[in-house]
Amino acid sequence: MAYKTLIVETRGNVGLVTLNRPQALNALNSTVLKELKEAYAAFHADEAIGAIVLTGSERAFAAGADIKEMQSLQFADIYKSDFISGWDDVAKVRKPVIAAVSGFALGGGCELAMMCDFIIASETAKFGQPEITLGVIPGMGGSQRLTRAVGKAKAMDLILTGRMMDAAEAERSGLVSRVVPPERLIDEALAAAEKIASLSRPSVMMAKEAVNRAFETTLEEGLRFERRLFHSLFATDDQKEGMAAFVEKRKPAFTHR
Ligand code: HXC
């Protein structure tokens, strides 16, 4: 499969997707969306792949949705086509996705990073939702996911002023899980993804589902959901293998069944 806007590679049991529109700081257009969905679907179908890393360039993860593509759109057309809704599929990939963010992650770029399961940032990363400066508002989930990630005060501050926050502020406020020097970014993300890929796939996928459910439901329903998933993992070979390996003081050999 030849991609125009992405570089798609396999590193061990990890799928590595690099946004590659350097002339536009990786601005997200309809081709990026189409190709990202294809790349994720291929990695989802590949039994050998246990996790995905999504990254950009050193200068920009992605500087937002493509302003030049959006500039002349009309309300009736984008309403009828439900413009942007296709990105929901990107957020729904079931294998874990780590965003490795260096440089600008703005607007749709910040929103794309937040669609991933967690974000590892380079010290150079800059996050923001500058849509307000263009006369619009976030449209790929920024007002919802950023608010859940960092709380109302900081989300309002960023979304209403359009200012950027650096990696240290992003880590302090809970948007990113780790900050590393730029030259360590990809290795750190790949190592985390490889660790995840070495674990039992059903338990990894259920862990992801359970955490995501925390954003969708009440505590009581969430606890019930978690407990039922926990119970169901006792039907897997990997639970027997994982616990036997611990007791026998050896490494588990998961079969992902
Ligand atoms: C299209 C973009 C772009 C974008 C940068 N470029 N961001 N093209 N869409 N979002 C292009 C520039 O036009 C320029 O092309 C080239 O990339 C390099 O950018 P410069 O501005 O020259 O670089 P610099 O001066 O270093 O400034 C970097 C920047 C700035 C601060 C990131 O580019 C910027 O403010 N970009 C827009 C950020 C933004 O507003 N994002 C939100 C978009 S709306 P040329 O050809 O001129 O050299 C959005 C809504 C999402 O994301 C939800 C709905 C879909």
Side-chain angles (χ1 to χ4, degrees):
M1 168 85 214
Y3 292 94
K4 290 201 197 76
T5 63
L6 306 178
I7 300 166
V8 179
E9 304 161 83
T10 298
R11 301 281 179 90
N13 295 104
V14 175
L16 175 61
V17 180
T18 306
L19 300 166
N20 187 33
R21 292 191 71 213
Q23 73 284 7
L25 300 184
N26 291 333
L28 308 169
N29 62 13
S30 46
T31 310
V32 178
L33 171 59
K34 178 175 155 291
E35 294 191 344
L36 203 48
K37 283 204 263 189
E38 283 166 6
Y40 278 7
F43 283 139
H44 184 74
D46 186 343
E47 286 273 339
I49 297 297
I52 298 166
V53 171
L54 176 64
T55 194
S57 68
E58 211 173 312
R59 186 165 171 221
F61 177 76
D66 194 314
I67 299 168
K68 293 167 192 167
E69 192 183 80
M70 286 187 294
Q71 187 180 5
S72 55
L73 298 179
Q74 297 298 327
F75 165 76
D77 300 324
I78 62 173
Y79 175 74
K80 285 187 290 182
S81 68
D82 207 10
F83 178 61
I84 316 173
S85 61
W87 288 95
D88 290 351
D89 295 338
V90 170
K92 281 186 184 147
V93 61
R94 294 178 66 214
K95 288 180 180 174
V97 185
I98 301 172
V101 174
S102 176
F104 299 111
L106 302 177
C110 185
E111 293 167 307
L112 176 59
M114 291 191 292
M115 287 177 202
C116 301
D117 297 308
F118 61 97
I119 301 174
I120 300 180
S122 145
E123 287 160 353
T124 64
K126 289 203 180 309
F127 297 88
Q129 299 287 161
E131 290 89 342
I132 204 80
T133 66
L134 300 168
V136 291
I137 66 167
M140 282 166 55
S143 66
Q144 305 303 301
R145 290 197 178 93
L146 186 66
T147 308
R148 282 164 164 79
V150 305
K152 178 179 168 183
K154 201 163 289 272
M156 283 288 194
D157 178 353
L158 290 164
I159 290 169
L160 293 180
T161 69
R163 78 170 174 91
M164 295 183 211
M165 71 173 164
D166 64 16
E169 184 179 359
E171 186 182 33
R172 250 192 343 266
S173 53
L175 180 64
V176 313
S177 68
R178 317 179 192 180
V179 178
V180 297
E183 64 278 8
R184 288 269 320 127
L185 179 67
I186 295 298
D187 286 349
E188 185 91 5
L190 286 173
E194 193 56 62
K195 171 71 192 181
I196 293 166
S198 75
L199 302 169
S200 167
R201 299 261 201 286
S203 61
V204 162
M205 290 168 70
M206 285 193 200
K208 169 169 171 160
E209 266 195 272
V211 174
N212 281 333
R213 187 57 74 99
F215 295 99
E216 304 285 349
T217 192
T218 62
L219 179 60
E220 192 174 342
E221 282 306 316
L223 291 172
R224 192 195 319 278
F225 183 75
E226 178 193 76
R227 199 158 56 240
R228 293 292 174 250
L229 290 179
F230 177 82
H231 293 158
S232 73
L233 284 166
F234 284 72
T236 63
D237 295 343
D238 283 347
Q239 174 268 327
K240 300 291 175 283
E241 170 61 12
M243 293 193 180
F246 177 81
V247 172
E248 293 159 18
K249 300 189 187 300
R250 60 173 175 81
K251 282 186 91 167
F254 291 123
T255 55
H256 311 300
R257 304 201 62 80

